Amino acid sequence: MNPQRAGNQPGPSGVYSVMVDLVSAGRLSLAFVLGAATMWLAHTGAPEAQAGRALGVDAFGKALQTVLERHVDPIEPSRALEESLKRIVSGLDRYSHFLTAQERQLLRQRSRGGLTGMVVEFHRASPGARKPAWLEVAAVLPGSPAEKIGLAAGDTILKVRGQEIAFMVSQAEVEVLLAGGDGESVDLVVQRRRDPAPIALTLVLSGQQRQVVEGALVEQGGQKFAHVRIRAFRAGVAETVRSALKELRRSAGGAELAGIVLDVRGNPGGDVTEAVLLADTFVGDGVLVRTRGRGGQILREERATQATTDEATPLVVLQDARSASASELLAIALQDHGRAKVVGERSYGKGTVQDVIGLDDGSVLTLTIARYFSPKDRLIDGVGVEPDVHLADLKGDPVQAAISTLTAGQVR
């Protein structure tokens, strides 16, 4: 039985119906039909494509309007525009995204102080790649809800609240799902690094802020060193580190500290201002970080001040491949000024600035508008901070190895 023809209607619909009839009658092959359709399109009255000519804004608008007016099923214009903008923006870089007014409202409702105690990194599916989008656990705070259910850096989250990560387009969509109040449960499906199969877990959010700065006195070779672990940068961290160092100096019993290890392994970043304030603690003068926008234009420079500056105590920054963003700004500022040696692995390479722009309909656009550069104008984003001493070159405990660079005076 032949499909119903499109009658005498002009255009590709009539041609297509005739060809389907012929295929159904067994008189043409599918390859012939596709070839004939292609030939028809090539000779239709539509404007001829010009090699190397890019799609313009006007042509895009015309195409979108045609889709809205002529698709066989009615399309809600606002929905089509939202989905288009989501994919356009999220395709620019992994840190730009668009939230609809509804998603923004949902995020506000859910953001009631409940914390996961972890940092996640969304990896968007690459065009043509077989691997779908995925969500990586980048860092987990000790004693946090995430650690309590066994999550660790490097694990992959496959589902959140029953929704598959594979079909998401931005980190913002994930943040909406992970938000909640103190004590609220969030169902996850996780692929742990050490487990062969995905498992279902329930994450119970907590309103308790976890400690992100820890200090300890380490003795080596008859000398005393301060080891300060900074797990994330948030408001007040710089002052907390200063207080920790003051307490460690007191604990040293009047002896001068032989050196300081600022440990930012696994630190995903956070408040850039706090990283700059901490760098200012050890640098007396000069640029600490530079921000460049489109065309390389300098948008802003943060400079050091002389107040309460420690320019004498030997200093090491210990980092790994998961040290990112604000922690990288700290490391490269101290490295460029010759104030500290950087020990460990090449860092993650996240050095961009986002602007959050509210739109008239209540939606919000988060757009990357600039990149951070070091005092010597070195790019951080996509490059990372190269250590002066690689951990692979050293033996033993990472902290002890970092201290050894101070006592042995190792350089690049």
Side-chain angles (χ1 to χ4, degrees):
M1 183 174 63
N2 293 338
Q4 183 179 359
R5 298 194 183 189
N8 295 321
Q9 293 179 358
S13 58
V15 173
Y16 174 76
S17 296
V18 171
M19 290 180 176
V20 170
D21 284 343
L22 293 174
V23 171
S24 301
R27 289 149 62 185
L28 287 175
S29 69
L30 179 58
F32 184 88
V33 170
L34 292 176
T38 303
M39 289 296 292
W40 182 90
L41 288 172
H43 293 88
T44 186
E48 184 176 350
Q50 296 182 14
R53 185 175 181 179
L55 179 67
V57 175
D58 291 342
F60 177 85
K62 183 177 180 181
L64 179 60
Q65 189 64 35
T66 301
V67 170
L68 295 176
E69 293 176 353
R70 298 189 59 186
H71 189 266
V72 64
D73 295 318
I75 300 173
E76 177 61 39
S78 61
R79 183 62 176 166
L81 291 171
E82 288 172 351
E83 289 301 317
S84 297
L85 195 53
K86 269 179 177 289
R87 281 159 176 76
I88 290 172
V89 175
S90 64
L92 299 174
D93 60 82
R94 68 171 59 183
Y95 309 110
S96 295
H97 57 259
F98 172 77
L99 279 181
T100 67
Q102 184 178 7
E103 290 169 334
R104 185 184 187 186
Q105 184 179 16
L106 182 59
L107 182 59
R108 283 177 173 174
Q109 292 172 349
R110 283 183 173 171
S111 298
R112 301 189 308 277
L115 303 173
T116 64
M118 66 177 175
V119 176
V120 294
E121 186 76 24
F122 179 79
H123 298 266
R124 190 172 185 261
S126 301
R130 293 184 177 181
K131 188 173 184 179
W134 54 292
L135 187 67
E136 180 185 12
V137 178
V140 175
L141 292 179
S144 67
E147 188 190 58
K148 288 178 180 178
I149 62 173
L151 289 177
D155 290 346
T156 301
I157 299 177
L158 305 177
K159 289 184 181 180
V160 181
R161 298 183 189 263
Q163 297 193 35
E164 294 190 38
I165 301 298
F167 299 109
M168 297 183 184
V169 297
S170 72
Q171 174 112 5
E173 293 180 326
V174 176
E175 300 294 348
V176 171
L177 294 174
L178 288 174
D182 186 10
E184 184 175 342
S185 296
V186 178
D187 293 329
L188 307 175
V189 174
V190 178
Q191 176 68 67
R192 286 171 165 164
R193 289 182 300 169
R194 62 180 182 271
D195 293 334
I199 59 172
L201 297 172
T202 299
L203 183 69
V204 180
L205 305 180
S206 171
Q208 182 180 355
Q209 286 274 7
R210 301 292 163 178
Q211 186 176 352
V212 295
V213 176
E214 300 169 357
L217 205 60
V218 180
E219 292 194 32
Q220 183 171 314
Q223 296 179 305
K224 295 181 179 181
F225 299 84
H227 172 226
V228 181
R229 184 73 183 264
I230 309 168
R231 298 185 182 275
F233 284 95
R234 62 186 185 209
V237 160
E239 183 56 40
T240 302
V241 172
R242 293 191 193 105
S243 297
L245 288 173
K246 185 177 181 180
E247 182 60 33
L248 291 174
R249 284 190 168 94
R250 186 181 296 113
S251 299
E256 289 293 328
L257 291 175
I260 299 170
V261 177
L262 296 178
D263 190 345
V264 293
R265 287 174 296 163
N267 185 323
D271 192 333
V272 169
T273 300
E274 292 296 324
V276 173
L277 287 173
L278 185 54
D280 192 16
T281 303
F282 303 102
V283 177
D285 186 39
V287 174
L288 296 174
V289 65
R290 181 176 291 112
T291 305
R292 290 184 178 274
R294 178 176 290 188
Q297 179 184 3
I298 296 177
L299 303 181
R300 188 169 181 175
E301 289 184 340
E302 298 290 347
R303 304 187 67 89
T305 62
Q306 284 288 343
T308 63
T309 299
D310 175 4
E311 297 183 82
T313 309
L315 193 63
V316 161
V317 178
L318 180 59
Q319 66 177 28
D320 63 11
R322 296 186 182 276
S323 302
S325 189
S327 62
E328 295 178 284
L329 297 183
L330 171 67
I332 204 166
L334 296 176
Q335 187 183 54
D336 271 10
H337 280 280
R339 183 62 186 87
K341 296 297 179 187
V342 178
V343 177
E345 302 171 324
R346 180 186 289 272
S347 61
Y348 185 82
K350 196 280 185 184
T352 57
V353 183
Q354 283 72 44
D355 191 11
V356 180
I357 307 161
L359 304 181
D360 293 341
D361 69 326
S363 59
V364 61
L365 174 64
T366 300
L367 190 67
T368 298
I369 61 167
R371 291 184 175 90
Y372 288 113
F373 285 77
S374 78
K376 291 185 177 180
D377 236 14
R378 289 193 287 159
L379 178 65
I380 300 166
D381 193 55
V383 178
V385 181
E386 181 71 20
D388 296 291
V389 181
H390 287 267
L391 273 183
D393 301 333
L394 304 171
K395 297 180 180 179
D397 178 81
V399 177
Q400 295 290 343
I403 291 174
S404 295
T405 67
L406 293 170
T407 58
Q410 290 181 323
V411 295
R412 187 181 305 178

